[in-house]
Amino acid sequence: MARMNHKSLPRHGERGYTLVALLAVMSLLMLFAMAAASNLQQQDQREREKEAVFRGEQVADSIRSYYQYKGRQGVNSLPTSMDQLLEGIQRGTKKLQILRVSASRDPLSKSGEWKLISPTSQDLGGFVASLTIYTGGAPPAPKREFAALATLIPRVVDVLNTQSTNTAAGGDDTSANADGPFLGVASRSQRNSVITYYGIDRHDGWIFTPLFR
């Protein structure tokens, strides 16, 4: 009978070393996978935020067009619903589209509904305070056509006193939109952002308005 060559069998210590090495490799692969997933998630959020800014500024432009069409007569010339912007404005015998359907939807919130911001909203006052900080202490000057409306905005000395920063980050604002004219829109997402908009790093703090554009 041939004798077994014990040198050909892995020793107990070698088997243990192989197992540890395998676990180390698996752990590294898991870490790489988690990092890649996190980067993909962050990139996806960044793209949605860019789209939100793009759409929000289109809404701001449509508010300006509507206001001009209605004669620039203060709050009475502002829209009171998103449907009015989607309907467009009359140009002779035709309707001129001033807002795309896709821009009327908020890509950052689950509901897809923009929050309508009135000229007397504390949120708008907080946005002005944020702009003042962003520009180094110089209050932003409103466009001439909106000068009368700018006087209605509440003065917020400390941006930390605004409603958006008093609520904990995360989730969506599910409150109903108030009736009446609006001068801008904001996301209902209360999450922290990847990018900043005029130095603001929370979605619900980004107000898109033609007031200063």
Side-chain angles (χ1 to χ4, degrees):
M1 180 181 294
R3 292 192 302 172
M4 183 179 294
N5 186 359
H6 292 286
K7 293 183 179 181
S8 64
L9 296 177
R11 290 177 293 182
H12 177 74
E14 291 176 345
R15 290 199 300 269
Y17 177 79
T18 301
L19 180 60
V20 170
L22 179 61
L23 290 174
V25 170
M26 292 179 63
S27 298
L28 286 174
L29 290 175
M30 288 180 62
L31 289 174
F32 287 140
M34 291 172 62
S38 177
N39 287 337
L40 287 174
Q41 185 178 18
Q42 189 176 66
Q43 181 62 28
D44 177 67
Q45 180 175 328
R46 180 183 287 107
E47 293 304 316
R48 287 189 294 111
E49 289 172 355
K50 290 180 179 179
E51 181 64 20
V53 172
F54 179 67
R55 295 185 188 186
E57 291 186 343
Q58 288 185 61
V59 176
D61 285 337
S62 69
I63 294 173
R64 177 184 51 78
S65 296
Y66 187 91
Y67 185 74
Q68 291 174 338
Y69 169 71
K70 288 294 184 178
R72 307 178 185 181
Q73 300 298 314
V75 293
N76 294 327
S77 296
L78 291 172
T80 57
S81 71
M82 193 65 69
D83 288 339
Q84 289 180 332
L85 298 179
L86 290 171
E87 288 171 4
I89 56 180
Q90 199 72 35
R91 281 288 185 267
T93 58
K94 297 181 179 180
K95 282 271 190 176
L96 176 65
Q97 183 184 27
I98 58 175
L99 182 65
R100 296 182 302 113
V101 175
S102 60
S104 69
R105 305 295 294 171
D106 170 19
L108 295 174
S109 65
K110 293 180 180 179
S111 68
E113 179 187 43
W114 289 109
K115 183 177 181 179
L116 307 184
I117 306 296
S118 75
T120 58
S121 168
Q122 286 288 333
D123 289 333
L124 188 54
F127 181 65
V128 174
S130 296
L131 290 181
T132 302
I133 295 172
Y134 182 78
T135 57
K143 299 188 74 171
R144 183 178 300 177
E145 60 190 305
F146 294 105
L149 293 174
T151 62
L152 302 176
I153 301 173
R155 185 170 180 267
V156 178
V157 177
D158 184 356
V159 68
L160 297 179
N161 289 331
T162 62
Q163 182 179 355
S164 63
T165 51
N166 276 338
T167 57
D172 286 358
D173 179 355
T174 58
S175 62
N177 276 320
D179 296 329
F182 65 97
L183 187 54
V185 296
S187 175
R188 289 185 172 275
S189 167
Q190 297 173 331
R191 299 168 184 82
N192 292 326
S193 62
V194 175
I195 66 175
T196 62
Y197 185 71
Y198 293 108
I200 303 169
D201 58 2
R202 256 184 63 160
H203 297 151
D204 54 342
W206 301 353
I207 296 183
F208 306 104
T209 173
L211 191 62
F212 305 108
R213 300 180 71 244

